[in-house]
Amino acid sequence: MFAKVSAAALIACAAAVHAQSPLGMDYVDTAELRLIYPKLTLGYLVPHALGSFQKSLQAQQRIFGWQPSERIGVVLNDFSDYGNASATPLPRNTLRLDIEPTSNAFETNPGSERMVSAMNHELVHIANTDIANRQDRFWRGVFFGKVPITPQHPESLLYSWLTVPRFTVPRWYLEGAAVFMETWMDGGLGRAQGGYDEMVFRAMVRDQAHFYSPLGLASRGTRVDFQVGANAYLYGTRFFTWLAHAHSPDKVVQLLRRDEDSQRHYASQFEHVFGFTLDEGWRRWVAFEREFQQRNLAQVRQHPLTPQQPLVAKPLGSVSRAHFDEAGGTLLAAMRYPGVVEHIGALDTRTGEIKRLADIKGAALYSVTSFAYDAASRTAFYTADNLSWRDLMALDLATGEQRLLMKDERIGELVFNRADRSLMGVRHQAGLATLVRIVPPYTEWTQVHTFAYGTVPSDLDISADGQLLSASVVDASGEQALRVWPLARLMAGEVKPLSEFRFGQSAPEGFVFSRDGRYLYGSAYYTGVSNIYRYEVANGDVQAVSNAETGFFRPVPLADGRLVVFSYTGQGFLPAIIEPKPLKDLSAIRFLGAELAAKHPLVTTWQVPRAQAGEADQGITARGEFHPLKSLALHNAYPVLQGYKDSAGLGYRLNWGDPLGYASASLMAAYTPGDSIANTERTHVVLRGHYLNWRASLAWNPSDFYDLFGPTKRSRKGLAAKLGTTRSLIYDTPRTLELLLDLAYYDKIATLPNAQNVGSGYTRQLSGEAALRYSNVRRSLGAVDDEKGLAAASVLSAHRVGGAIVSQLRASLDMGLALPLLHSSLWSRSAAGVSNGAASNPLASFYFGGFGNNVVDEGNVKRYREHYAMPAFELNAIAARRFAKQMVEWNLPPLIFEELGQPGLHLQSLRPALFATRLWAHGQAGAPHQTISNLGGQVDLRFSVMHWYEATLSLGYAQGRRSGQGAAARDGKEWMVSLKLF
């Protein structure tokens, strides 16, 4: 269907494309969409993307009665080694697709060809949120478009609710609807009929586990569980499938439509359609689920269950492929579970103890990392940055030394060949999978074979003698197979396998060779339950060797013939030992999706046909290079409330942007009435814009909504013109290094731009600033704040006033350490600065004081961490020409709530922190210095607002002591109450 493209040619294309376009992006227009893509790397996918979009759009219109409010933007990206996608109706209908193969660890994401599945899924999101009735269309006319929430203007929350009411729904609702519909649009291939989803709920019923309510799922279930956000997909898909099964697919479609008699709020619409409340429907589903899965458990138990010997008492969350180190008697694997940063661990099979060997940067949700092991040298090979472009790493188990072998080479599915000490893996780039070989010293790779688009090998293994290579292979139709190649022939270019077994739509996973190379052991949901199967290479005979109640995965053959397997539990995967014995028969379980199709065959009519060759080209109306500035359009416009000093005013804001967000502009004009404001200060105009890495603003008497709530004021008298740029010197998340350059000109000012309580003594100021900011901080699953790492910054500024130049230099360093208490950390935060200039010049000093939070705010919640903050003292009350500051901060374990509030407004967490600070402040040379200290704490209560937004209520107190300047010690204290919006 698509031509094969070599990896080497793609690299050359990627380098050449920037010579043709500022972004290296082209576009194709039809009446329904604008498709934007990097031409020379992903141009070959355009016909497939256009055809998949058009067929899916036709189905969405037919099923939901939806007419898009505007042309839809679709962007093809290649920013990640695994496929992903997102969609938003705000401010414009936009889909973004990362086009690499999706991760299918444990068969968590079954589906048809990935472009087709992604278009179906994401267009359901757009259809369900862009869809509008007469009321919605009226408000979109009033505000000249759909309005996203803008933190600078909290009023936008109301405008967003009026223009896009079906956007403010819980994530489980949004994703559950999309997965449910996607499954049937893909002909029944998807998570609504997935073995993993069935296993999750079967295990919950077996273990009598707690089922989250809709509120508990949003508040706790997607935060503290090892599956985090994936729980929204699991619960949502299951609930929608039950709704269709119990009350018909027509009712589900009616729920998702926005007819004239429909209700604006999703829960009211639910009751309008089904005749009972959402909470009541959820309770009925849970009762049904318990009964349904009890029948499945009884079906599995018709045959004797395979005994298992657990190796640890507590499951390990998500796990990678494992290897048994016979020298140490340990099981090596990567693990990801709440409370601890993702890591490679060594499990002592005799004691059950786990030793953490190395943290993993950028771990994947289920597979964690790609992991291979050289037992002879005791070297573990693994991948970092698994959510972007993967790096190849090596860990010496004897010394603990970690080495970066290859950066951004995008290679995973690693396997070690003991015969020649080489590595083999699969490289993802431009939508294609390439089998590669890496020889010592493992710093370069060579191409073995690039597969056609849609054909993706995974789970590689090599026999002990180095003669055979195995892999699980999926093709563009979704067919799954286990293939075995003679490695020498494959290296010579012969791709025909030695043997193959087709598993149909059930993925063969984790197949590995036995010690003698005779068999391959792996798992598959062949009967609906993931069991271990034995594949005999010589004759292709396949036999089940386990009967699992929930599911067994990723076998590791031991010398005595037993297998280490990972058994699924509700808390993650539990390593255990089983005896593999060929079984004659296993019982198949029932799938709720299959029973839905049998009861309501309507869902089978939703299948989206594939586009035929050349069909998509017929609707193209334009082609060309994509330039963001040429694509600017008015997104929306709306009235705003503004604060200026201590007065309130009214204004109006207009917003423009391009489809991708590379360029934007906004204009806000306001007026403050009343005699308390001078005539020259009553008019306020703020023009802001950004283009790529550049930002600019021009303001006259700039005002700000949050100035209504003090004590921090951002409104200023006079003219302010600013220009700046940000350059990423290192972008290797979580490790980043940024250079920020800013230039500003002020005229007719009365106070310092960055110190509201300090008079300027002049009216004009020209300032320049250069800043370097470095960050490498991490947090574990379930954390509400950073828990370990390092962050540093250095800032050099220069100001010209009345012919004199004043310069300042300051630096900061934050270092954090995770404590044994769950999600607790200890931080050291240091800062220092020095400035020059005349003593009479207010710009020659740094200013400190206060928490800095407004009563209602939009800034950083923990403002006491900033270099200028000094809780317990007034804002800007402390001045220093030179300073040194040291803070010690203890973040205590947070409390995570489950049922406190309503789905649209509930309390998620409470996080307390204690801090102690000492500031050494020096004035002019020879003058006495001041020593200022404080001790305080802050409690942050984080709320969920309208399902997608957060608000934080912060309560703080600090008591301080100030001495120096020949005066007696002076005490200070400060209470702080602040509500941060969005």
Side-chain angles (χ1 to χ4, degrees):
M1 179 175 169
F2 299 99
K4 299 179 182 179
V5 180
S6 73
L10 290 171
I11 295 174
C13 290
V17 72
H18 295 285
Q20 300 183 26
S21 171
L23 296 173
M25 306 285 277
D26 276 23
Y27 73 89
V28 170
D29 282 350
T30 71
E32 299 88 7
L33 92 158
R34 165 164 283 190
L35 178 66
I36 303 169
Y37 61 98
K39 179 179 181 180
L40 295 182
T41 54
L42 302 184
Y44 78 103
L45 280 174
V46 167
H48 184 36
L50 288 174
S52 300
F53 173 90
Q54 290 171 354
K55 292 296 184 183
S56 181
L57 178 63
Q58 293 166 6
Q60 312 281 350
Q61 293 174 304
R62 172 173 56 86
I63 295 171
F64 295 112
W66 166 56
Q67 291 301 317
S69 63
E70 61 198 358
R71 190 164 59 182
I72 300 170
V74 179
V75 186
L76 303 184
N77 290 321
D78 191 14
F79 297 152
S80 173
D81 285 351
Y82 289 105
N84 204 346
S86 64
T88 180
L90 295 168
R92 299 290 185 187
N93 294 333
T94 307
L95 275 63
R96 297 175 185 268
L97 277 64
D98 278 308
I99 49 76
E100 297 301 339
T102 54
S103 175
N104 197 25
F106 307 112
E107 205 172 328
T108 51
N109 191 31
S112 63
E113 193 279 316
R114 60 185 184 269
M115 184 74 74
V116 171
S117 293
M119 289 295 184
N120 288 336
H121 181 101
E122 303 305 331
L123 277 175
V124 170
H125 285 324
I126 298 296
N128 292 169
T129 52
D130 180 62
I131 196 168
N133 65 9
R134 188 180 298 110
Q135 291 180 8
D136 307 333
R137 290 191 294 272
F138 168 79
W139 289 112
R140 292 178 188 182
V142 169
F143 299 122
F144 296 94
K146 296 173 290 184
V147 182
I149 286 187
T150 303
Q152 299 97 317
H153 302 288
E155 317 94 301
S156 57
L157 175 61
L158 173 62
Y159 307 152
S160 186
W161 166 248
L162 292 172
T163 55
V164 195
R166 293 296 173 81
F167 181 75
T168 47
V169 299
R171 190 178 182 190
W172 67 259
Y173 183 100
L174 201 67
E175 299 297 351
V179 173
F180 170 75
M181 296 301 303
E182 166 207 343
T183 298
W184 300 108
M185 288 178 166
D186 288 352
L189 299 177
R191 283 166 284 189
Q193 288 211 103
Y196 184 87
D197 290 48
E198 287 288 349
M199 177 180 68
V200 166
F201 292 101
R202 187 169 67 253
M204 291 176 65
V205 171
R206 182 199 65 176
D207 300 338
Q208 298 182 341
H210 170 62
F211 275 73
Y212 289 110
S213 69
L215 172 56
L217 177 63
S219 182
R220 185 177 178 86
T222 55
R223 298 177 185 275
V224 302
D225 189 90
F226 85 100
Q227 301 188 100
V228 285
N231 268 335
Y233 290 76
L234 290 163
Y235 275 77
T237 302
R238 199 69 180 180
F239 183 59
F240 270 92
T241 303
W242 171 79
L243 281 175
H245 179 268
H247 300 280
S248 86
D250 280 327
K251 289 276 191 179
V252 171
V253 171
Q254 185 182 350
L255 172 67
L256 299 174
R257 289 170 60 100
R258 186 76 171 106
D259 297 327
E260 294 304 327
D261 65 341
S262 66
Q263 302 298 302
R264 179 173 292 274
H265 190 259
Y266 74 96
S268 300
Q269 172 70 355
F270 184 94
E271 189 170 359
H272 173 70
V273 171
F274 292 101
F276 49 84
T277 66
L278 176 60
D279 286 340
E280 174 60 25
W282 197 274
R283 286 191 290 269
R284 294 182 186 182
W285 160 61
V286 172
F288 168 88
E289 193 68 56
R290 293 188 188 281
E291 180 183 348
F292 183 84
Q293 296 300 351
Q294 285 290 0
R295 292 200 299 268
N296 270 339
L297 288 166
Q299 194 73 13
V300 172
R301 293 166 183 163
Q302 288 183 352
H303 302 281
L305 300 176
T306 299
Q308 54 179 305
Q309 176 189 341
L311 295 176
V312 290
K314 186 178 179 180
L316 305 181
S318 297
V319 291
S320 70
R321 177 178 178 176
H323 301 271
F324 187 69
D325 182 14
E326 296 183 359
T330 57
L331 187 69
L332 304 171
M335 310 166 192
R336 187 176 190 261
Y337 51 87
V340 179
V341 172
E342 301 88 346
H343 60 276
I344 294 172
L347 167 64
D348 191 318
T349 57
R350 295 157 295 192
T351 66
E353 295 182 357
I354 299 176
K355 180 181 179 181
R356 291 173 57 189
L357 303 178
D359 288 347
I360 296 172
K361 181 166 69 75
L365 173 58
Y366 286 111
S367 60
V368 190
T369 186
S370 180
F371 188 41
Y373 182 59
D374 175 10
S377 66
R378 301 199 67 212
T379 301
F381 299 93
Y382 65 99
T383 54
D385 287 339
N386 294 277
L387 303 179
S388 58
W389 290 0
R390 290 169 291 184
D391 306 333
L392 178 61
M393 306 290 295
L395 170 66
D396 188 323
L397 267 60
T399 65
E401 178 190 4
Q402 300 176 61
R403 291 179 293 134
L404 173 64
L405 300 176
M406 287 191 285
K407 177 70 177 170
D408 291 342
E409 291 297 342
R410 314 187 65 173
I411 299 170
E413 307 296 340
L414 301 172
V415 62
F416 184 76
N417 188 345
R418 285 177 281 180
D420 62 5
R421 302 193 64 245
S422 67
L423 287 169
M424 296 200 73
V426 178
R427 188 169 191 265
H428 292 170
Q429 188 182 29
L432 304 177
T434 299
L435 185 66
V436 301
R437 181 170 180 260
I438 310 167
V439 300
Y442 312 108
T443 56
E444 294 182 348
W445 57 271
T446 57
Q447 177 181 350
V448 177
H449 179 73
T450 297
F451 293 86
Y453 174 84
T455 300
V456 183
S458 61
D459 289 337
L460 307 185
D461 198 45
I462 297 176
S463 60
D465 59 8
Q467 299 297 308
L468 300 176
L469 172 74
S470 68
S472 299
V473 181
V474 61
D475 62 23
S477 68
E479 284 289 321
Q480 311 269 353
L482 175 65
R483 292 178 184 172
V484 180
W485 294 271
L487 190 52
R489 294 185 194 171
L490 187 60
M491 295 295 296
E494 185 177 332
V495 188
K496 183 178 180 181
L498 172 70
S499 61
E500 176 182 80
F501 184 83
R502 291 191 169 271
F503 283 77
Q505 302 298 332
S506 178
E509 186 169 13
F511 273 82
V512 294
F513 284 97
S514 60
R515 300 289 181 101
D516 58 8
R518 180 181 176 185
Y519 300 110
L520 280 162
Y521 289 97
S523 65
Y525 294 92
Y526 211 51
T527 62
V529 178
S530 180
N531 275 299
I532 305 301
Y533 290 85
R534 188 182 71 184
Y535 175 75
E536 190 165 359
V537 177
N539 58 25
D541 182 49
V542 175
Q543 288 186 302
V545 294
S546 78
N547 184 29
E549 201 168 28
T550 54
F552 292 150
F553 300 87
R554 294 191 174 157
V556 181
L558 301 177
D560 60 6
R562 295 182 300 165
L563 299 176
V564 174
V565 297
F566 288 91
S567 177
Y568 180 81
T569 75
Q571 288 74 46
F573 294 89
L574 182 73
I577 294 178
I578 67 169
E579 189 86 31
K581 295 181 179 179
L583 304 176
K584 293 183 178 179
D585 195 15
L586 296 175
S587 296
I589 64 166
R590 302 160 60 211
F591 278 67
L592 181 57
E595 297 206 351
L596 164 63
K599 182 178 180 181
H600 299 288
L602 173 66
V603 294
T604 63
T605 68
W606 292 347
Q607 183 170 359
V608 179
R610 298 292 180 92
Q612 301 300 312
E615 189 175 357
D617 295 337
Q618 299 173 7
I620 295 176
T621 59
R623 295 179 182 267
E625 294 181 353
F626 175 72
H627 295 268
L629 292 177
K630 295 181 180 179
S631 302
L632 283 176
L634 180 67
H635 284 334
N636 45 62
Y638 44 81
V640 296
L641 182 64
Q642 292 286 279
Y644 184 76
K645 297 184 177 180
D646 295 316
S647 300
L650 291 174
Y652 198 74
R653 173 168 170 149
L654 298 93
N655 299 290
W656 296 266
D658 77 280
L660 302 189
Y662 286 113
S664 68
S666 67
L667 174 64
M668 194 285 299
Y671 181 78
T672 301
D675 297 334
S676 60
I677 302 296
N679 287 336
T680 57
E681 298 180 54
R682 294 181 182 178
T683 302
H684 319 282
V685 179
V686 179
L687 175 63
R688 292 190 177 95
H690 97 270
Y691 178 63
L692 302 180
N693 296 321
W694 292 90
R695 58 187 173 275
S697 65
L698 181 64
W700 173 252
N701 298 328
S703 56
D704 191 279
F705 172 87
Y706 297 96
D707 281 12
L708 295 169
F709 305 95
T712 299
K713 301 290 186 181
R714 286 184 284 189
S715 56
R716 293 290 190 273
K717 174 188 174 184
L719 175 72
K722 300 179 182 180
L723 177 66
T725 184
T726 300
R727 304 288 173 176
S728 291
L729 306 180
I730 298 175
Y731 188 77
D732 185 24
T733 54
R735 189 171 64 100
T736 60
L737 177 63
E738 290 184 328
L739 171 65
L740 294 85
L741 301 173
D742 288 278
L743 184 66
Y745 172 74
Y746 305 93
D747 191 15
K748 294 181 172 53
I749 62 175
T751 59
L752 294 189
N754 296 318
Q756 68 186 55
N757 295 326
V758 181
S760 62
Y762 51 83
T763 60
R764 293 182 181 179
Q765 175 183 328
L766 179 64
S767 298
E769 184 174 278
L772 276 173
R773 294 179 183 172
Y774 176 80
S775 179
N776 187 7
V777 294
R778 302 186 187 187
R779 62 178 64 184
S780 61
L781 280 182
V784 297
D785 208 346
D786 296 325
E787 296 177 325
K788 63 186 295 187
L790 182 148
S794 61
V795 181
L796 175 64
S797 60
H799 314 279
R800 181 178 176 85
V801 177
I805 295 180
V806 177
S807 60
Q808 293 182 331
L809 176 64
R810 62 177 171 85
S812 62
L813 176 64
D814 298 346
M815 295 183 292
L817 173 69
L819 299 177
L821 293 172
L822 191 66
H823 301 311
S824 180
S825 60
L826 189 67
W827 287 82
S828 166
R829 304 186 189 275
S830 309
V834 61
S835 67
N836 69 358
S840 60
N841 193 328
L843 283 170
S845 294
F846 299 92
Y847 298 92
F848 306 88
F851 275 93
N853 302 66
N854 278 339
V855 175
V856 180
D857 210 334
E858 63 157 334
N860 183 11
V861 170
K862 293 186 179 293
R863 206 80 57 82
Y864 64 80
R865 295 173 176 173
E866 301 294 340
H867 80 278
Y868 55 79
M870 197 65 192
F873 301 94
E874 293 293 329
L875 292 171
N876 311 144
I878 303 167
R881 296 287 297 270
R882 292 175 293 142
F883 78 92
K885 184 180 178 185
Q886 177 62 49
M887 172 186 285
V888 176
E889 178 188 17
W890 177 23
N891 290 313
L892 283 75
L895 298 177
I896 308 297
F897 301 101
E898 183 172 336
E899 296 280 352
L900 203 54
Q902 297 295 323
L905 177 62
H906 60 267
L907 181 60
Q908 294 177 333
S909 65
L910 181 152
R911 52 177 182 179
L914 300 174
F915 59 85
T917 315
R918 175 153 289 193
L919 171 66
W920 294 269
H922 297 260
Q924 287 281 43
H929 74 271
Q930 302 179 68
T931 301
I932 305 101
S933 58
N934 69 16
L935 182 65
Q938 182 170 314
V939 175
D940 300 316
L941 296 96
R942 180 180 294 176
F943 293 84
S944 173
V945 180
M946 300 292 282
H947 310 292
W948 289 99
Y949 313 105
E950 289 184 346
T952 303
L953 177 63
S954 298
L955 309 173
Y957 176 77
Q959 188 156 345
R961 187 173 181 83
R962 178 177 180 180
S963 62
Q965 295 181 334
R970 288 167 290 166
D971 294 338
K973 63 181 180 181
E974 180 183 4
W975 288 95
M976 183 273 293
V977 178
S978 176
L979 176 64
K980 178 189 174 180
L981 300 178
F982 319 133

